[in-house]
Amino acid sequence: MIKAVAAVMLISGFSLAGHCFAAFQAKRVSVLEDIMLMLSVIETRLGYDCPPVTDIMKILSENPALSRLEFLKSCFERVCAGEPFPSAWRESVKNQQELCRLLAGSAEQLCVLGEELGATDLEAQLRKCEYYKKVFSAELELQKEKSQKYSKLFPPLGFMLGICAAIIII
């Protein structure tokens, strides 16, 4: 009886882990989509009315579509408190651990973006926005492919690993 319960628990645990890995990959895609939206908003605002960085941060932090990018609110609060924008941006990104974990290597690119916003003339900022849109777009496409593959792979793989572990225990 105890072995049967243990086997069911193992199968359930591994199956759940497979679903969690697939969900993690899907969340990575949604965060990258939010970053692409953020870049579009920045580019649009710069192109039409060229506001200061603090105004752009206010617009971004109040945008409900970007609510998953929690570092925007933190950065805006830091800038309002008098911290220089580049360091406020970098620290806000670095302090959002989940974002850094989801973005992995792209988190550093996001930090560099903050150092370049507001530091040059309008044309250079628009070119940088275009550049980062290409960088994050390429990463988004890669992660979408992985997400499609892993959403089909991880749940059954977790289930099969659970069955294997249950067989070994029994």
Side-chain angles (χ1 to χ4, degrees):
M1 180 67 176
I2 292 177
K3 286 185 178 183
V5 170
V8 169
M9 296 293 280
L10 274 172
I11 292 170
S12 299
F14 277 100
S15 182
L16 181 63
H19 286 284
C20 287
F21 284 130
F24 178 79
Q25 189 64 37
K27 190 171 184 178
R28 180 177 282 166
V29 168
S30 68
V31 165
L32 284 166
E33 289 172 340
D34 288 350
I35 289 173
M36 292 296 295
L37 177 62
M38 176 193 72
L39 288 168
S40 294
V41 169
I42 292 171
E43 186 177 38
T44 302
R45 293 309 247 169
L46 284 173
Y48 286 108
D49 53 353
C50 193
V53 176
T54 53
D55 291 351
I56 292 174
M57 288 310 303
K58 182 177 186 207
I59 291 164
L60 293 174
S61 65
E62 293 174 349
N63 190 334
L66 300 174
S67 63
R68 285 184 287 207
L69 300 179
E70 297 168 7
F71 75 93
L72 294 172
K73 288 181 183 173
S74 173
C75 180
F76 179 63
E77 291 168 0
R78 287 172 178 253
V79 169
C80 287
E83 189 173 340
F85 175 73
S87 63
W89 179 277
R90 179 174 283 283
E91 289 303 313
S92 297
V93 170
K94 296 278 183 187
N95 288 341
Q96 192 177 352
Q97 305 264 327
E98 183 180 8
L99 176 74
C100 292
R101 195 180 80 230
L102 286 168
L103 292 179
S106 298
E108 188 57 36
Q109 293 287 332
L110 192 59
C111 289
V112 174
L113 167 67
E115 293 171 4
E116 296 174 350
L117 276 179
T120 58
D121 67 332
L122 178 61
E123 290 302 317
Q125 289 183 67
L126 289 173
R127 282 194 307 270
K128 287 296 181 179
C129 283
E130 190 63 35
Y131 168 75
Y132 284 108
K133 281 174 79 174
K134 288 179 184 175
V135 168
F136 284 108
S137 177
E139 181 69 19
L140 176 60
E141 289 306 312
L142 175 70
Q143 295 305 328
K144 277 184 178 179
E145 288 175 17
K146 284 184 178 180
S147 181
Q148 288 175 348
K149 179 173 66 172
Y150 292 154
S151 68
K152 295 176 184 172
L153 173 69
F154 281 147
L157 182 64
F159 182 73
M160 295 304 281
L161 286 172
I163 290 174
C164 290
I167 290 171
I168 290 172
I169 286 182
I170 295 177

